[in-house]
Amino acid sequence: MSDPIQTDEPDMTAAEFALGVLDGEDRRAAAARAAGDPAFAAEVAAWEERLTPMAAGVIPMEPSPQVWTRIAAALGTTPGLWNSVVFWRGATLAGIAAAAASLAIVAGPLLRTPAPPINAPQTILPVEVASLSTKPGEPASVVATLDPNSHELVLTPVALKLTDDQSPELWVIPAGAQPISLGVMDRTKPYRIPIPMQMNGEGRTTAQLVVTAEQLGGSPDKKPHGPAIAAGKFGQA
Amino acid sequence: MVEDLERARLIQARRKVAEGDRTALREVYQRTSAKLFGVVIRILNDRQDAEDVLQDVYLTVWRRAESFDPAKASPITWLVSIARNRAIDRLRSGGGRLMTDIDEALGLADPAPDAAAQAVANADAARLNSCIEGLDPKHAAAVRTAFFEGLTYDALARLAGVPLGTMKSWIRRSLMSLRLCLEGA
């Protein structure tokens, strides 16, 4: 909309942007300008310093406890990319192994566990990754990440083939033994469980992880009935 | 001064956040989330949307902590700015709920009548408040409503029952006066 601008009035866009009075279109334009023009960005920052003390008058309010839980979950103890469904889509085992090798170098500082006891050594153990797929060599349907620092197994669903009236159930099968249910999986986003007992020690590389398509809510009798839709194992160190 | 100690603690915690220390982010969250949630929910008037935005705010803090320069800005300004910006972005793309309280029906009542009392605890807030008090009361109310509610020029003009051009003039002139006042002219 046209707006007669006096030639002797300075451009107040930076101030208007900082205050927040610009509408969607003008606001986007100002944000773009701040991103590309350091002088304008500095002007905006100066206006924010001037105006933000008004926030002293804001009445504080406690958010629900779930907000922090979700923030912590989004951060995880492994770098963001590990848990990104988009990142893993189409990844084969070779691709994952290569990614694991390069990420291990980058990921070191991000693998710190929160607040270790004073006397505990600050060792940062590398994570291990396994691809669970319909057949060896096929792209991953689920990526499983073993994080020994937090003692958790992170499952990231990538491409599970299920109908709406099926639930994906995860099983651990120790060598030569019966499958043990690790529960119904979250099919939409990464989630974590404690590392199953069966995967301690030798079990780490001999136990198989399998996903089956069970009835809604999972198998009623703790035994797999549906077809296996993904399987895999952790490799040798 | 208490506020200097708090500021020093926030700067230290923020440095640790920049180094990827999750417990430091938790500390920043514990110290600041109630204030930032107050800022965001005032703009959005919807608890669910406000909580989604608050989550996004702290993830932004986590990603951007490295680029914050304590010599150039105060940590609480930085945090409040991120919170306001995210909340207003959400409001502009259709989030939140419109104000429905009586003040809207009556026009622009000044939203912070006892800002003076709360500002005493913070020297910057006290100074800004006295500069705002020096404006025409209708203009002061417009500036405060803009800050607290995150409204557009258009919404402010409709609320105050004045033409758009008038509201733009009120706000621009008020901002210029505030700058002069804060610079001690």
Side-chain angles (χ1 to χ4, degrees):
Chain A
M1 62 188 80
S2 71
D3 175 33
I5 295 185
Q6 311 287 351
T7 49
D8 56 351
E9 259 186 34
D11 178 6
M12 295 298 289
T13 312
E16 294 169 322
F17 181 49
L19 181 58
V21 288
L22 299 176
D23 70 20
E25 177 95 10
D26 291 341
R27 186 174 164 81
R28 268 190 297 276
R33 191 172 159 196
D37 178 352
F40 182 74
E43 235 193 301
V44 171
W47 277 107
E48 284 174 348
E49 278 291 334
R50 284 178 197 119
L51 298 173
T52 307
M54 257 191 278
V58 167
I59 296 159
M61 190 180 296
E62 287 295 327
S64 319
Q66 291 92 302
V67 177
W68 175 255
T69 309
R70 282 187 258 138
I71 292 167
L75 297 179
T77 52
T78 49
L81 278 183
W82 290 106
N83 297 338
S84 164
V85 170
V86 174
F87 179 74
W88 288 119
R89 198 157 278 150
T92 59
L93 186 57
I96 291 170
S102 56
L103 270 172
I105 297 159
V106 166
L110 292 172
L111 294 178
R112 215 173 303 147
T113 50
I118 301 284
N119 298 321
Q122 280 261 1
T123 37
I124 296 162
L125 301 165
V127 297
E128 294 163 59
V129 183
S131 161
L132 310 186
S133 50
T134 50
K135 280 202 288 276
E138 289 289 308
S141 301
V142 175
V143 175
T145 307
L146 256 179
D147 185 350
N149 299 285
S150 63
H151 202 69
E152 288 174 318
L153 184 62
V154 183
L155 288 319
T156 303
V158 178
L160 282 170
K161 293 202 175 10
L162 287 169
T163 60
D164 283 354
D165 57 9
Q166 289 175 320
S167 284
E169 193 160 352
L170 181 66
W171 309 84
V172 59
I173 312 182
Q178 293 299 313
I180 292 148
S181 175
L182 298 175
V184 171
M185 292 183 64
D186 187 323
R187 61 202 283 183
T188 57
K189 61 188 189 307
Y191 74 104
R192 40 186 74 228
I193 56 174
I195 295 181
M197 271 185 333
Q198 298 77 14
M199 296 188 71
N200 286 329
E202 249 186 27
R204 183 147 303 177
T205 52
T206 58
Q208 224 195 7
L209 285 170
V210 178
V211 182
T212 60
E214 299 296 322
Q215 67 187 55
L216 265 185
S219 167
D221 62 357
K222 297 294 177 214
K223 291 210 260 274
H225 296 284
I229 54 176
K233 257 163 120 161
F234 284 88
Q236 302 289 342
Chain B
M1 273 229 71
V2 174
E3 64 187 48
D4 288 338
L5 190 59
E6 185 61 30
R7 185 199 154 110
R9 281 211 184 106
L10 268 181
I11 289 175
Q12 196 187 37
R14 198 269 335 151
R15 197 181 307 128
K16 288 202 213 148
V17 169
E19 290 165 11
D21 186 339
R22 254 210 318 167
T23 51
L25 184 72
R26 179 156 200 161
E27 190 190 328
V28 171
Y29 183 85
Q30 281 166 338
R31 289 189 131 74
T32 62
S33 59
K35 178 61 108 181
L36 297 195
F37 191 55
V39 167
V40 169
I41 203 167
R42 185 80 186 262
I43 290 170
L44 291 172
N45 294 299
D46 178 291
R47 198 179 178 100
Q48 186 58 61
D49 275 4
E51 289 193 342
D52 286 349
V53 167
L54 193 68
Q55 186 183 324
D56 188 30
V57 166
Y58 284 93
L59 293 177
T60 302
V61 167
W62 174 253
R63 284 194 305 270
R64 285 204 213 152
E66 265 179 312
S67 61
F68 168 70
D69 181 355
K72 289 199 185 137
S74 80
I76 195 69
T77 297
W78 182 65
L79 289 166
V80 169
S81 296
I82 293 175
R84 287 193 72 244
N85 278 319
R86 281 284 182 272
I88 292 173
D89 284 343
R90 181 80 162 223
L91 187 64
R92 295 286 175 273
S93 44
R97 280 188 289 114
L98 296 173
M99 283 197 310
T100 52
D101 59 276
I102 198 89
D103 288 356
E104 186 176 357
L106 294 176
L108 279 178
D110 192 326
D114 55 10
Q118 281 155 323
V120 168
N122 175 331
D124 285 340
R127 220 152 54 100
L128 177 60
N129 191 59
S130 79
C131 289
I132 294 176
E133 293 290 298
L135 298 170
D136 178 302
K138 287 203 293 291
H139 303 184
V143 169
R144 285 205 176 103
T145 302
F147 183 86
F148 288 111
E149 313 295 337
L151 299 180
T152 58
Y153 269 136
D154 200 64
L156 288 166
R158 277 185 286 116
L159 271 179
V162 301
L164 180 62
T166 304
M167 180 54 71
K168 287 191 177 183
S169 178
W170 282 4
I171 296 281
R172 285 179 183 147
R173 288 188 185 167
S174 299
L175 290 169
M176 285 192 268
S177 296
L178 288 176
R179 177 160 71 185
L180 285 173
C181 176
L182 289 169
E183 282 168 4

